[in-house]
Amino acid sequence: IIIIIYIYIFKEVRNIMTSSGSSSSHNDGHSIDIRLYLCAIASGMVLAFGAGVFYGPTPTFLPLQSSTMTIPSAELLASISTGEEAELSKQRQRRYPATHSAELGKIKQVHVNVGQIPSYEELDGSLLDRRNFSEIATTDVEPEQHQPAGQHLLVDIKNVNAEFLNSEERLAKAMVQVVSEAKLTLLSYHCHSLEPAGVSCVGVLLESHISFHTWPDEGVITLDLFTCGPNNLMPVVPEIEKLFGIPRENSTEPVGTMWSHELRGFRSHEARKAHYLDLSSDLSWYVTSPLEMLTKTEVVSVQTPFQRIDIWDILDVGETPSYSDMVKHDLKEGDPRFFTTEITTPDRLLFLDGKLQSFKDTDHEYHESIVHPAMFAHPNPKRVAIIGGGEGATLREVLKHKTVEQVKMIEIDEMLIKIAREYLPFFNDCSDFVGVAPNCFDDPRADIITRDAKEWFMENFGPGVGQVSDDEKFQVIILDAMNPEEDNAISKGLFTSPDFITAAMASLSDDGVIVINAGTAPSIHDPAPDKGVFAQREQLFLLLENHPDTKAMLVYEESHCGFNEPHGFLLICKSHGCRKQWYAGADAIDFQIYERIVLTHSKERALQHFDGSTQYSFQYPPKAWETVYCRREPEPYECQFRGLDMNANLRELCDDPEESDFVIRKISEETLGIFANKKILKGDYIMPEALASSFVISEESKKNLVETTKIMGTGSTLVLEDFIAFTEKYGHESISQGIGQTIVEVGPSFLIRNATTKEEANIDRMIPRPTELPTYSPVYERNRRSFDVFLVATRDIEVGEEILKYEGMWD
């Protein structure tokens, strides 16, 4: 149209010029009418602008006029499949928009629940799915699709029909349907058939892109879907499996799918922390992010008024059958299924706000480790309080103790208990225990309180409550809440509140104990405990250390709980006597298990993981706890005495007079003494080999010996009486207060005479005893045996000088 207009204008101008030339001799003043020329130019510009607006691309900043979108017609797809592909490939329309059920302005609408996942709306109507952010948003935030961030879904499918994987048209149709089901907007797509086989497709979305490639002979397709915006892509996985997972004909192998979901791009720290699928979340780490997993089945995904609850079944590639799988399927030696995943049962995992709480497979390792060390640290626990533990496994372990008369379980989220009953029954199954209700929650000793634990303790044991009778106090409190390092609003009030700590200590009997889930155990590479991710745990430790009722704090860890790193626990004692129970021998603990743990109908042991030897392994905290503790500022006093000084000499008494550092001399007819045979330097160790051979005897053992002397005949008790007298004369109490153990020297060191004053003495214990021992010190707990026996020179000792120790050295 523009060209025609300008041709017309050109002809008119030329005619005017011709006519003016012919008549110029007659009229030299004739000229072209410029108004006609300008009018023609303006008209052409208007028409050109209108044509550009009408036929040109739509600007992205203008709203679309219609949200009605179409899928390629069935006739078109049918015509392609009937042999007209060569001709239609030249004419094929490539801009097929996907059907969209909502206006374009509502693209933030979220699709909830994967497959047939229960929403639990029937349970009081109080549950929401947190993937629908519009239902829980409380503040106005900038739309996520405008942020440099997105979600990435990778899906690999095998054992797929070869004809389907080699059909560009069928694959294109499936891609369009996936985009439609995902509530995304397809702007255009392009598919290309490859030689000798295979198809590659890419679709441009308003939100980003979708692409895939196929290997028909191998029966494999790999798909990649990336979008910007808040819509969760995981709900589309079943649709992808349904549309692209067309099984092979006459194949016994099922279609297999592996998928991975990642949050991509750059989010603010607050946005990452709030998103339950962020890479820092356990749900992402264990389930949604790993691609090579044979099974990822979402069982529950709901948002309660207090937290998000997710339950998944997972099975890793290469996971072999467990013992229970072997028994269930009666596997015999040589069965090839021992080395495959064919009969392997998937593990079931519980997540709260994206943080892993429990595994089905390692249930007993974790819950027996948090409950029974504390229960056996008390001689007779009758009343027990559980804070948290909504899945019921902690309650199950407590109810195994015959001494228990009442258990108060304070769990803030009633919905978690309901979900656990239905979907985590193995956690709260007490049917095998003699004298316990089939479901642990229903046992008459269990009092389930759905309250905020902090508020409940403050109301019942807070400062304004007054005197509480001993009958209402607890012997054991188990705090099985979120890990202290997690920034969780519910548990944070427990770990950082002095008022709650005071109320909890007030609720304990005089010999009561508290055990706390201390979270991920430290490593020797961690910074000072008040810095970094474990600062909140250090805040809790300091609150407890400085509380006047705290007499001892003992840490231990278990590495078989299923987590990526060993898990830590903290025991708080209100009495020094707690150490006596804690450091009991493995045989003593096994005997207590026999006396106190219920029998089972199946005749199997009620405790699957915990026994006396397990408790023995808990008695020495690992090195990392000591290392991190000694990074406190200022450094604790005892940290300078960790281990023996490698620069000091070991001074021993031996048979060879030339080699011996000491010599035994007779001072009087009845007295012997130890003298220096060589010069001994300050800090040298005095007879460490002899002192290391000292033996330990408990108070119970000494009492039993005394009772035995009363029962036996007079002539038969002389040896025992002499032995008891020897332990009293040459033994001393352990530095660990309340442990109830005596260390008895049996080497030549017992010949070292006493001095009446410290000034006269020239040797002392390895670490000078402080006026008051710290309530928490992994250094003392780890090195207590060394601190109990080793002696060092307090000054240079010359040859011939007698070795003397202060008579109150071990007091």
Side-chain angles (χ1 to χ4, degrees):
I1 294 174
I2 305 303
I3 293 173
I4 292 173
I5 292 174
Y6 276 101
I7 291 175
Y8 171 76
I9 294 172
F10 175 76
K11 288 181 177 180
E12 289 297 318
V13 172
R14 188 178 63 176
N15 290 338
I16 293 173
M17 293 294 293
T18 303
S19 62
S20 75
S22 62
S23 61
S24 59
S25 57
H26 305 285
N27 187 8
D28 295 335
H30 182 77
S31 62
I32 300 174
D33 190 345
I34 193 65
R35 291 173 296 177
L36 177 63
Y37 178 77
L38 293 175
C39 181
I41 294 297
S43 300
M45 292 175 64
V46 171
L47 289 172
F49 180 78
V53 170
F54 186 77
Y55 291 101
T58 302
T60 58
F61 56 83
L62 294 178
L64 297 181
Q65 298 301 314
S66 174
S67 62
T68 304
M69 304 184 182
T70 60
I71 299 177
S73 67
E75 292 77 8
L76 177 59
L77 294 173
S79 67
I80 293 174
S81 63
T82 58
E84 301 176 359
E85 182 172 354
E87 178 62 25
L88 288 176
S89 63
K90 303 176 183 178
Q91 309 173 15
R92 186 179 296 132
Q93 182 180 355
R94 295 296 187 181
R95 299 178 65 84
Y96 296 144
T99 300
H100 201 298
S101 63
E103 294 294 325
L104 187 60
K106 296 181 181 178
I107 61 174
K108 288 184 290 183
Q109 182 173 342
V110 176
H111 181 74
V112 298
N113 291 332
V114 179
Q116 299 299 317
I117 306 305
S119 64
Y120 284 92
E121 294 176 353
E122 68 275 12
L123 298 176
D124 302 330
S126 59
L127 291 175
L128 303 172
D129 192 306
R130 261 181 64 172
R131 283 171 291 185
N132 192 336
F133 297 112
S134 62
E135 294 187 9
I136 64 168
T138 57
T139 58
D140 294 332
V141 295
E142 187 173 357
E144 192 171 325
Q145 59 262 40
H146 300 309
Q147 299 296 316
Q151 300 186 47
H152 202 170
L153 182 66
L154 304 175
V155 183
D156 296 349
I157 309 177
K158 68 176 181 177
N159 300 327
V160 181
N161 184 278
E163 292 183 2
F164 171 75
L165 294 181
N166 211 31
S167 172
E168 180 180 334
E169 289 69 37
R170 293 173 68 185
L171 290 165
K173 182 178 179 181
M175 178 176 67
V176 171
Q177 289 180 310
V178 165
V179 172
S180 175
E181 292 294 336
K183 302 296 184 290
L184 301 172
T185 309
L186 184 64
L187 301 179
S188 66
Y189 70 80
H190 177 77
C191 291
H192 186 77
S193 296
L194 306 176
E195 295 295 339
V199 176
S200 287
C201 287
V202 61
V204 179
L205 308 176
L206 177 65
E207 297 82 2
S208 188
H209 73 268
I210 181 174
S211 63
F212 58 82
H213 182 78
T214 70
W215 290 264
D217 292 341
E218 292 79 5
V220 172
I221 178 173
T222 60
L223 184 143
D224 156 32
L225 175 59
F226 179 84
T227 65
C228 304
N231 288 30
N232 187 0
L233 295 180
M234 288 195 299
V236 80
V237 171
E239 293 299 325
I240 293 175
E241 290 180 298
K242 181 178 71 175
L243 294 169
F244 286 95
I246 308 301
R248 286 176 164 177
E249 296 180 358
N250 303 321
S251 175
T252 58
E253 293 188 53
V255 173
T257 303
M258 297 189 301
W259 59 269
S260 170
H261 179 278
E262 301 277 6
L263 295 185
R264 297 283 304 279
F266 300 92
R267 289 174 167 81
S268 67
H269 175 70
E270 289 74 17
R272 290 191 58 191
K273 186 170 64 174
H275 205 298
Y276 74 104
L277 288 177
D278 184 77
L279 278 177
S280 63
S281 80
D282 293 334
L283 181 55
S284 173
W285 178 270
Y286 283 90
V287 180
T288 63
S289 181
L291 179 62
E292 294 187 350
M293 297 188 74
L294 292 181
T295 300
K296 291 183 186 179
T297 305
E298 189 176 42
V299 181
V300 171
S301 181
V302 293
Q303 172 70 33
T304 76
F306 303 100
Q307 59 197 345
R308 177 182 182 81
I309 302 174
D310 289 281
I311 301 175
W312 286 77
D313 287 343
I314 65 170
L315 181 63
D316 286 331
V317 173
E319 194 77 24
T320 54
S322 65
Y323 172 74
S324 59
D325 292 327
M326 183 194 76
V327 173
K328 179 180 178 181
H329 295 277
D330 193 27
L331 296 189
K332 304 298 183 183
E333 184 178 357
D335 194 314
R337 292 177 294 176
F338 271 121
F339 307 99
T340 69
T341 57
E342 181 180 345
I343 62 168
T344 306
T345 303
D347 195 5
R348 180 161 289 190
L349 279 59
L350 168 65
F351 299 87
L352 299 181
D353 286 334
K355 302 302 179 182
L356 181 58
Q357 298 302 300
S358 300
F359 300 81
K360 177 184 178 182
D361 287 353
T362 57
D363 157 31
H364 293 280
E365 287 91 327
Y366 173 83
H367 290 101
E368 290 185 21
S369 294
I370 192 175
V371 171
H372 300 298
M375 295 294 287
F376 285 109
H378 192 280
N380 187 31
K382 294 182 178 181
R383 300 187 76 251
V384 179
I386 300 172
I387 300 173
E391 72 275 73
T394 304
L395 174 63
R396 179 196 66 208
E397 297 303 318
V398 171
L399 292 175
K400 292 179 182 179
H401 285 257
K402 300 175 185 177
T403 61
V404 172
E405 298 175 357
Q406 185 183 49
V407 186
K408 288 191 179 292
M409 177 178 149
I410 305 100
E411 166 60 55
I412 194 172
D413 196 345
E414 183 179 9
M415 203 60 63
L416 175 59
I417 298 175
K418 294 181 179 180
I419 292 172
R421 280 180 178 269
E422 185 170 356
Y423 292 95
L424 304 170
F426 43 85
F427 283 146
N428 45 77
D429 180 12
C430 287
S431 59
D432 193 35
F433 308 137
V434 175
V436 185
N439 187 284
C440 307
F441 291 123
D442 299 329
D443 192 89
R445 293 172 293 171
D447 181 10
I448 311 301
I449 302 169
T450 52
R451 290 275 311 277
D452 178 277
K454 178 182 176 182
E455 293 180 358
W456 188 87
F457 271 89
M458 292 298 295
E459 289 179 8
N460 291 275
F461 302 98
V465 175
Q467 190 68 25
V468 178
S469 67
D470 292 340
D471 293 339
E472 297 179 8
K473 292 185 176 182
F474 303 109
Q475 283 75 50
V476 179
I477 297 176
I478 303 169
L479 206 168
D480 186 17
M482 302 279 276
N483 294 348
E485 66 263 27
E486 311 292 358
D487 190 9
N488 180 274
I490 298 174
S491 58
K492 189 173 184 178
L494 305 176
F495 297 134
T496 61
S497 170
D499 292 337
F500 167 73
I501 297 298
T502 298
M505 296 299 285
S507 72
L508 281 177
S509 60
D510 292 340
D511 56 355
V513 298
I514 301 176
V515 66
I516 296 176
N517 163 25
T520 303
S523 79
I524 60 174
H525 307 290
D526 289 348
D530 61 337
K531 299 175 176 62
V533 296
F534 299 111
Q536 184 166 280
R537 178 166 66 193
E538 176 70 357
Q539 185 178 356
L540 169 66
F541 276 42
L542 292 174
L543 283 174
L544 291 165
E545 285 178 62
N546 296 321
H547 196 279
D549 289 341
T550 303
K551 295 300 184 289
M553 292 171 56
L554 307 166
V555 290
Y556 63 103
E557 63 184 53
E558 174 57 65
S559 59
H560 299 91
C561 297
F563 303 104
N564 288 325
E565 299 177 81
H567 210 74
F569 304 94
L570 171 65
L571 185 79
I572 303 101
C573 302
K574 203 172 176 181
S575 165
H576 289 298
C578 165
R579 275 199 177 94
K580 185 177 179 180
Q581 295 288 127
W582 180 258
Y583 288 113
D587 54 345
I589 296 295
D590 285 334
F591 180 70
Q592 291 182 51
I593 290 173
Y594 174 81
E595 282 195 316
R596 289 163 54 170
I597 298 299
V598 298
L599 299 176
T600 64
H601 298 293
S602 65
K603 308 304 180 184
E604 298 289 338
R605 294 179 182 271
L607 301 184
Q608 297 185 27
H609 176 70
F610 182 84
D611 61 9
S613 296
T614 306
Q615 174 63 27
Y616 183 79
S617 71
F618 293 159
Q619 293 174 358
Y620 290 90
K623 180 74 170 180
W625 289 95
E626 176 188 81
T627 302
V628 173
Y629 170 79
C630 289
R631 289 178 179 148
R632 285 181 169 183
E633 297 176 358
E635 182 184 81
Y637 167 76
E638 64 273 19
C639 291
Q640 60 186 303
F641 299 99
R642 289 176 289 169
L644 300 183
D645 185 355
M646 303 302 292
N647 296 316
N649 300 304
L650 305 181
R651 303 296 187 173
E652 299 287 1
L653 175 67
C654 53
D655 295 335
D656 187 350
E658 298 296 327
E659 296 294 329
S660 180
D661 296 300
F662 304 100
V663 61
I664 301 176
R665 293 178 183 172
K666 191 173 183 180
I667 298 175
S668 67
E669 289 297 326
E670 297 181 354
T671 306
L672 298 176
I674 302 292
F675 293 81
N677 197 38
K678 297 179 182 178
K679 183 173 181 178
I680 298 173
L681 303 179
K682 180 180 180 181
D684 286 353
Y685 292 96
I686 309 299
M687 301 184 191
E689 184 176 355
L691 289 168
S693 64
S694 302
F695 72 88
V696 179
I697 184 170
S698 66
E699 290 181 357
E700 286 75 14
S701 296
K702 287 198 293 184
K703 289 178 181 178
N704 287 339
L705 288 174
V706 172
E707 292 298 322
T708 301
T709 61
K710 297 178 181 179
I711 297 173
M712 296 174 63
T714 306
S716 305
T717 62
L718 293 178
V719 174
L720 289 180
E721 290 175 348
D722 289 344
F723 175 76
I724 294 171
F726 183 88
T727 61
E728 293 293 338
K729 182 176 181 180
Y730 298 108
H732 59 268
E733 290 186 4
S734 169
I735 193 173
S736 299
Q737 191 172 357
I739 197 172
Q741 294 177 350
T742 299
I743 291 83
V744 183
E745 300 176 36
V746 294
S749 61
F750 77 85
L751 295 175
I752 299 175
R753 296 199 306 149
N754 293 331
T756 56
T757 65
K758 290 183 178 180
E759 290 73 22
E760 292 180 75
N762 49 25
I763 64 172
D764 199 354
R765 61 199 304 167
M766 175 181 170
I767 175 173
R769 186 183 180 103
T771 306
E772 185 176 353
L773 292 175
T775 54
Y776 170 64
S777 175
V779 177
Y780 275 107
E781 305 305 331
R782 281 179 51 81
N783 298 276
R784 67 182 189 278
R785 281 291 170 260
S786 297
F787 294 168
D788 280 340
V789 298
F790 289 131
L791 302 174
V792 296
T794 56
R795 58 177 174 81
D796 290 351
I797 303 174
E798 301 298 331
V799 177
E801 187 176 352
E802 185 180 6
I803 309 301
L804 297 173
K805 61 183 179 183
Y806 173 53
E807 61 182 359
M809 180 179 64
W810 296 112
D811 293 344

